[in-house]
């Protein structure tokens, strides 16, 4: 297969929105929308692999999502368990390496265990790095990095005068992962919703009206085509 198109993004991040509205339009319970959303995840991962995208970050569960009704949180955790058990082994065969970012210690213990074993089992794969944002909030991530820096400075291991943007980037959950080039949000909402605030400083943003369960390979290709037409200047002229 051919090498990655130089105009295509190395790292795509996606705010997968609209599962609930997709379900409501069809007269289905919200959990069916999330289940259909998991199918889009499978298709998008497969397409990223085909297109030689190197990193894909998916906003699967936000810090704010804990405030949803208990039954919906439970349904999302059940889907996560199922995804890790059934989909990750298939993805692993295709060379997907799993990572997770967020306050993972807030997840139910069995989810943490399943996550850790999926991460370990896929750790030597190299085709596509799939990063699941779980119990993730960008402000919380920056707070955690700031705390770490403060502790290191208080212990005398870090000179406050030496702190620069790299000192922060290397203490975020995404340390070592390049910033996203393209951020996609589905369902027409024009918001960032506390997702990767630091990392998307120069990302190109594509918003599509489609609900996440309707977002398929062709929609991903279309977003990448739009990205390829953009002129990225990074603040220069
Ligand atoms: C937003 O839709 C989506 C979520 C809160 C969760 C995303 C989860 C999935 C796509 C399925 C599971 C994925 C994995 C990786 C296991 P919404 O509920 O906010 O939709 P609405 O705005 O229309 O109500």
């Amino acid at each position: 297969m051919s090498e990655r198109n130089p105009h295509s993004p190395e790292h795509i991040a996606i705010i997968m929105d609209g599962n609930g509205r997709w379900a409501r339009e069809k007269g289905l319970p919200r959990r069916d929308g999330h289940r259909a959303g998991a199918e889009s995840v499978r298709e998008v991962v497969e397409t990223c692999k085909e297109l030689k995208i190197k990193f894909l970050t998916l906003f699967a569960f936000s810090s704010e999502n804990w405030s949803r009704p208990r039954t919906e949180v439970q349904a999302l955790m059940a889907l996560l368990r199922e995804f890790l058990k059934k989909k990750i082994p298939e993805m692993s065969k295709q060379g997907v390496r799993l990572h997770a970012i967020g306050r993972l210690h807030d997840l139910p213990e069995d989810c943490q265990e399943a996550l850790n074993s999926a991460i370990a089992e896929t750790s030597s794969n190299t085709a596509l790095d799939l990063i699941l944002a779980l119990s993730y909030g960008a402000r919380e991530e920056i707070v955690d990095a700031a705390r770490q820096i403060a502790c290191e400075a208080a212990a005398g291991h870090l000179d406050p005068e030496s702190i620069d943007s790299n000192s922060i980037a290397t203490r975020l959950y995404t340390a070592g992962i390049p910033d996203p080039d393209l951020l996609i949000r589905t369902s027409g909402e024009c918001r960032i919703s506390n997702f990767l605030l630091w990392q998307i400083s120069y990302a190109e943003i594509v918003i599509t009206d489609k609900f996440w369960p309707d977002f398929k390979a062709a929609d991903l290709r279309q977003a990448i085509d739009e990205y390829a037409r953009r002129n990225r200047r990074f603040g220069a002229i």
Side-chain angles (χ1 to χ4, degrees), residues 8 15 18 53 65 84 87-88 131 133-134 140 142-143 151 164 177-178 190 196 207 214-215 225 233:
S8 80
I15 302 176
I53 304 296
N65 287 156
L84 294 169
K87 300 260 172 36
I88 288 293
I131 301 128
L134 293 162
E140 288 78 356
I142 293 168
V143 166
C151 288
D164 57 12
I177 297 169
C190 301
L196 301 176
I207 292 170
D214 289 328
F215 189 90
D225 286 347
R233 293 190 296 276

Side-chain angles (χ1 to χ4, degrees), residues 16-22 30 34-35 37-38 41 58-61 65 68 72 76 79-80 83 132 187 211-212:
M16 309 181 289
D17 194 15
N19 295 349
R21 278 162 285 167
W22 180 92
R30 290 178 61 83
H34 296 312
R35 180 164 287 284
V41 168
L58 300 175
F59 205 0
F61 192 88
N65 287 156
R68 292 192 176 196
E72 181 163 347
L76 283 163
L79 257 185
L80 174 63
F83 179 83
L132 291 185
S187 93
F211 294 141
W212 176 250

Side-chain angles (χ1 to χ4, degrees), residues 133-149:
L134 293 162
S135 191
Y136 175 87
R139 287 185 173 178
E140 288 78 356
E141 179 181 34
I142 293 168
V143 166
D144 287 350
R147 273 195 198 139
Q148 199 181 322
I149 287 173

Side-chain angles (χ1 to χ4, degrees), residues 189-207:
E189 308 286 355
C190 301
R191 289 192 288 275
I192 300 300
S193 300
N194 202 16
F195 188 44
L196 301 176
L197 295 179
W198 175 279
Q199 298 88 337
I200 59 162
S201 296
Y202 287 100
E204 294 296 325
I205 300 177
V206 170
I207 292 170

